[in-house]
């Protein structure tokens, strides 16, 4: 296999993680809770060679760290790599993209006036099918990993395609690039063109097992990359396939599950038609009940969209402790609807953000956070004033919320001892008295800071006008995986 | 006056425009009509020393241009500056920002969960008032001009503040930077804090005349910068002030007028309360009828927002041939509502796009175009499928639509003989077979082109993921006013 050589090297790199002790100094911002950011200024975070945070100290400068923190950790002073954020810069947890189709990346922005079902046939299935060509798959997957890393996405829940080899290649490339990922081979054995679907439920399950085996082999501890059971969505999976996937989910309780739910009203009608409760033994004729009937609505399940869920469905999702990936860019772009995130959160349903490329047009979780805030205001326009999501709330969804959605709540999403160092260094642009941006070419950016802003205002400016230019460096599990030149 | 010296120099620069004949070669894209872009590949556009387009030829390369176009124009071969777009790059008309508050630029992204009336008092009036400090005004206005130029905004309809001196400074700085602009001193003599309003209707009118006189002096032919009558919005203007501004509009029929209308439901209720028809002689108790009663609803009037207009108001606006500036970023951000642009267009009301900083969070008209498309889909979610705006339509609004809104339909917005060369050179990023972006550091950008896209797909990618990095060069009236390093 032509692609195995670089993979082998990459695994070594990933397993050794950063390979050195590191000390990060400066300002740190993360979510204390849903509606509150924590600002740690003049602080120090120590990260061990495995990429785990072993100390968070405040106040603490380099001198104090060397005098107190390093000795306590038993670290030799000359065996520590020190990273100091410049004034105004801050470390922020890496973003978690809880739903995106790596295979659709080349189509971002290309959707015309379509909605879900015609969008799939017109734009999506032909592109996904074409990635059975390994050189094209390598080109596209290399790019989507590099691009999302550059936007600060340290963990991505990817859908690949039906094709096993290129799905495995995506996992290989994630390991090589050092991006934490869930990688799912897409299961679909009906209602798509003959050129792009699993031949039978049995073939789909065998292909799924093959991909799980590959990913488990390249990252045996699932330290960086995990396989994820991926029934595309109910309409494209036959009942036998759904049943088989439910059995697989029970057989492999360490695996997450991802699928779509209730994105579009025509889709919902189609599910009702395809899966009458009498045939599945479902609780009722709702979309959520279909997944539940097949054992796929679990506390490991990531449900993308959930735009048009009924009260009863949301209660069922809450009862099963399944998670929701909110994809505002996609829901607006292909006119799916405006998801009621506050309503889901009030039901204690765990929510994160997804770019949902290429239903969503942007590779940026920051853009998804911005749109989540804006779409919540469109929900509020309908009369529910408290639907509005704040800057603090959308950043929670982008980090800690997303971490919980992908099953990594204890591992990433904040700066706490025992969690991994999945982080980004954020820098904004300072405007001087002449209206010029200070600093060199590296300061080219879209966020102008005049100097009189509070820290929460700086963060709001980042959320509303920031982009990948503000993400100066990105680390996953302590390893530097992206740096702006 | 400390600021007059650079102004004098700047006027000279502006009046001489480019100062040389220029030939542009490559691909040109502009709006043929509302829903159709024109693609002119392998074309040549000749621009004379005054910045006016004097020839559009296709097909035409440099050799053909030198053999046929230059002799026809009587241009010496060695007195022409030649600009060639690289393959994949294209010239596009400069964007027209039909509504923004230059004075609010430092607050972009800072609005919390506020809506219009509390947003004004909490965030906006204090900032605007602070720009009476000339050094702060210079810092802010320098930056907003530089920033909007970098995003391809060749013409901006600016609100400044109540303060005459700093409003005049904004006009000076526009002339110096070469940005085409409407510059309005804000008229407001009621319902704002005592620290920030005109002392009386008479004082407001005198201050307005003073600013008009200054701008007319620095640009006597109003070639680049024009004064614009600017009643902030009905609630902040007394009836005598509105009446005085109506008289001024009649006295100076060459001046445009700009104001806000029907942005927020509380604002509309306030207008109804403040201006009962019996007191104004208005046709009815609508917001539009108030402006009409005072002679301010004309074919030179730019109405920002128009989110909640009634059928009768829209008909009145159409009858008066007044224009609408659609500000989707603002309307979503401060939860004003979703303007029905298709409905306005169907009534033959001329519409353009406004960033409306800082109700809007972004300095980019491209972002406004993107949000116009998305917000139109939120209108469509309400059931009106044809409300959706296409990529072609939002780009029309951003250029030719905007040009008509600011009274420059014959001057800018497209590439036609007799129009001015207000243009931007757009470049996207090419991804090679390894998923790497081709080219040097300058190619750092957020739009990845894989090479198999059609031209309309490339343009869609630009609209949905593009930013100022894609705007390589910007010209106004033939003069190069921005270039990315």
């Amino acid at each position: 296999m032509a692609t195995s050589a670089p993979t082998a090297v990459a695994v070594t790199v990933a397993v050794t993680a950063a390979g050195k002790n590191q000390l990060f100094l400066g300002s740190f911002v993360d979510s204390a809770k849903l509606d509150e950011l924590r600002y740690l200024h003049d602080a120090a975070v120590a990260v061990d060679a495995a990429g785990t945070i072993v100390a968070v100290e405040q106040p603490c400068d380099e001198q104090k760290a060397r005098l107190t923190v390093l000795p306590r950790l038993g670290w030799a002073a000359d065996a520590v790599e020190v990273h100091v954020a410049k004034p105004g810069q801050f470390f922020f947890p890496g973003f978690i993209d809880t739903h995106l189709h790596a295979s659709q990346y080349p189509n971002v922005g290309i959707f015309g006036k379509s909605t879900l079902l015609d969008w799939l046939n017109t734009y999506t299935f032909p592109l996904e099918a074409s990635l059975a060509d390994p050189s094209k798959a390598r080109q596209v997957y290399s790019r989507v990993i590099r691009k999302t890393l550059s936007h600060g996405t340290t963990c991505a829940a990817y859908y690949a395609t039906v094709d096993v080899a290129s799905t495995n290649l995506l996992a290989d490339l994630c390991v090589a690039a050092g991006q934490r990922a869930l990688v799912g081979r897409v299961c679909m054995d009906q209602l798509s063109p003959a050129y792009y679907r699993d031949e039978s439920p049995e073939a789909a399950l065998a292909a799924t097992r093959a991909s799980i085996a590959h990913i488990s082999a390249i990252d045996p501890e699932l330290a960086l990359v995990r396989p994820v059971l991926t029934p595309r969505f109910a309409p494209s999976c036959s009942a036998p396939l759904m049943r088989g996937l439910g059995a697989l989910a029970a057989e492999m309780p360490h695996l997450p599950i991802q699928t779509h739910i209730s994105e579009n009203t025509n889709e919902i009608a189609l599910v009702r038609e395809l899966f009458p409760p009498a045939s599945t033994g479902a609780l009722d004729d709702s979309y959520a009940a279909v997944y539940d009937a097949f054992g796929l609505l679990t506390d490991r399940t990531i449900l993308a969209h959930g735009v048009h869920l009924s009260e009863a469905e949301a209660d069922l999702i809450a009862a099963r402790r399944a998670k929701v990936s909110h994809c505002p860019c996609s829901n607006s772009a292909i006119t799916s609807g405006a998801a009621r995130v506050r309503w889901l959160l009030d039901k204690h349903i765990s929510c994160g953000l997804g770019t949902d490329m290429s239903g969503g047009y942007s590779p940026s979780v920051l853009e998804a956070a911005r749109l989540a805030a804006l779409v919540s205001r469109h929900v509020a326009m309908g009369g529910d004033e408290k639907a509005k999501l704040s800057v603090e709330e959308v950043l929670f969804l982008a980090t800690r919320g997303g971490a919980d959605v992908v099953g990594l709540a204890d591992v990433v999403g904040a700066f706490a001892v025992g969690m991994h160092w999945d982080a980004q260094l954020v820098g904004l642009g300072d405007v001087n008295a002449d209206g010029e941006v200070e600093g060199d070419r590296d300061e080219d950016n879209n966020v102008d800071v005049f100097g009189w802003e509070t820290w929460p205002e700086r963060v709001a400016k980042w959320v509303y006008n920031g982009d990948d230019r503000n993400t100066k460096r990105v680390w996953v599990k302590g390893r530097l995986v992206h740096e702006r030149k």
Side-chain angles (χ1 to χ4, degrees), chain A residues 23-73:
Chain A
L23 184 67
F24 297 88
L25 296 161
S27 293
F28 299 76
V29 183
D30 64 1
S31 289
K33 52 185 183 173
L34 175 63
D35 59 356
E36 187 182 317
L37 288 172
R38 174 177 69 154
Y39 293 87
L40 283 177
H41 299 297
D42 303 314
V45 170
V47 176
D48 71 13
T52 303
I53 297 172
V54 290
V56 177
E57 290 280 319
Q58 192 222 23
C60 185
D61 60 12
E62 184 168 350
Q63 191 182 11
K64 180 179 168 191
R66 291 192 177 279
L67 286 172
T68 66
V69 181
L70 270 48
R72 198 176 76 219
L73 295 170

Side-chain angles (χ1 to χ4, degrees), chain A residues 30 97 145-146 212 221 342 373 392 463:
Chain A
D30 64 1
D97 190 340
I145 292 166
R146 193 178 313 273
I212 292 169
E221 295 176 10
R342 175 75 63 208
E392 288 75 12
V463 167

Side-chain angles (χ1 to χ4, degrees), chain A residues 117-443:
Chain A
L117 300 181
D118 57 317
W119 170 81
L120 282 170
N121 285 302
T122 307
Y123 299 102
T124 305
F125 291 148
L127 174 61
E128 287 192 20
S130 75
L131 294 206
D133 170 354
S135 72
K136 187 170 180 183
R138 174 176 291 274
Q139 180 190 23
V140 169
Y141 292 154
S142 297
R143 190 61 197 158
V144 74
I145 292 166
R146 193 178 313 273
K147 183 57 102 179
T148 54
L149 280 176
S150 76
H151 281 276
T153 300
T154 50
C155 178
Y158 285 121
Y159 287 57
T161 69
V162 168
D163 186 62
V164 173
S166 60
T167 298
N168 294 348
L169 174 63
L170 173 58
D172 297 346
L173 293 169
C174 287
V175 171
Q179 187 175 51
R180 199 182 289 275
L182 283 62
V183 176
R185 192 205 74 92
V186 178
C187 296
M188 46 192 287
D189 69 342
Q190 66 177 22
L191 284 198
S192 64
Y195 67 79
Y196 187 57
R197 66 179 174 223
D198 288 308
E199 280 179 27
S200 65
E202 296 72 25
L205 293 165
T208 298
R209 284 182 184 275
S211 185
I212 292 169
H214 175 87
I215 297 170
S216 305
I218 61 169
D219 190 357
E221 295 176 10
L222 306 183
L224 204 67
V225 179
R226 287 182 300 160
V228 49
L229 296 176
T230 307
R232 183 176 202 114
F233 68 154
S236 64
C237 296
S238 66
L241 176 53
M242 296 276 268
R243 201 168 293 119
L245 287 168
L248 204 51
E251 177 191 329
M252 300 183 174
H254 61 295
L255 290 195
I257 304 163
Q258 61 183 358
T259 189
H260 300 76
I261 197 167
S262 198
E263 178 176 0
N264 168 290
T265 51
N266 290 330
E267 169 210 17
I268 295 166
L270 182 59
V271 171
R272 189 161 287 143
E273 184 187 316
L274 289 169
F275 296 96
S279 74
T280 61
L283 295 170
D284 56 40
D285 68 349
S286 76
Y287 202 154
V290 172
Y291 289 129
D292 191 50
F294 290 112
L296 292 167
L297 195 70
T298 75
D299 62 359
R300 306 172 272 143
T301 304
I302 306 166
L303 300 166
H305 306 299
V307 174
H308 305 282
L309 294 171
S310 69
E311 201 75 36
E313 280 182 296
D315 291 339
L316 178 61
I317 290 168
R320 297 292 185 262
R321 304 180 61 82
K323 328 294 185 190
V324 171
S325 171
H326 173 46
C327 305
C329 293
S330 170
N331 296 338
S332 295
I334 60 171
T335 324
S336 299
R340 293 170 295 158
V341 176
R342 175 75 63 208
W343 173 75
L344 295 170
L345 292 171
D346 284 348
K347 287 181 182 287
H348 305 291
I349 295 173
S350 189
C351 295
L353 296 177
T355 61
D356 189 26
M357 295 191 281
S358 69
Y361 53 84
S362 170
S364 162
V365 173
L366 194 65
E367 174 90 1
R370 181 157 54 232
L371 260 284
L374 298 178
V375 166
S376 77
R377 282 157 175 73
H378 280 267
V379 175
M381 288 169 202
D384 180 13
E385 179 73 18
K386 74 177 180 50
K388 290 184 197 178
L389 297 174
S390 66
V391 163
E392 288 75 12
E393 288 172 324
V394 298
L395 288 176
F396 178 94
L397 297 179
T399 56
R400 288 183 64 179
D404 193 50
V405 167
V406 300
L408 296 171
D410 299 330
V411 183
V412 296
F415 299 129
V417 171
M419 296 180 84
H420 293 183
W421 180 253
D422 282 27
Q424 55 187 312
L425 176 64
V426 178
L428 312 176
D430 286 311
V431 172
N432 68 17
D434 297 324
E436 305 279 356
V437 168
E438 307 248 83
D440 59 10
R441 168 75 189 158
D442 187 49
E443 294 306 315

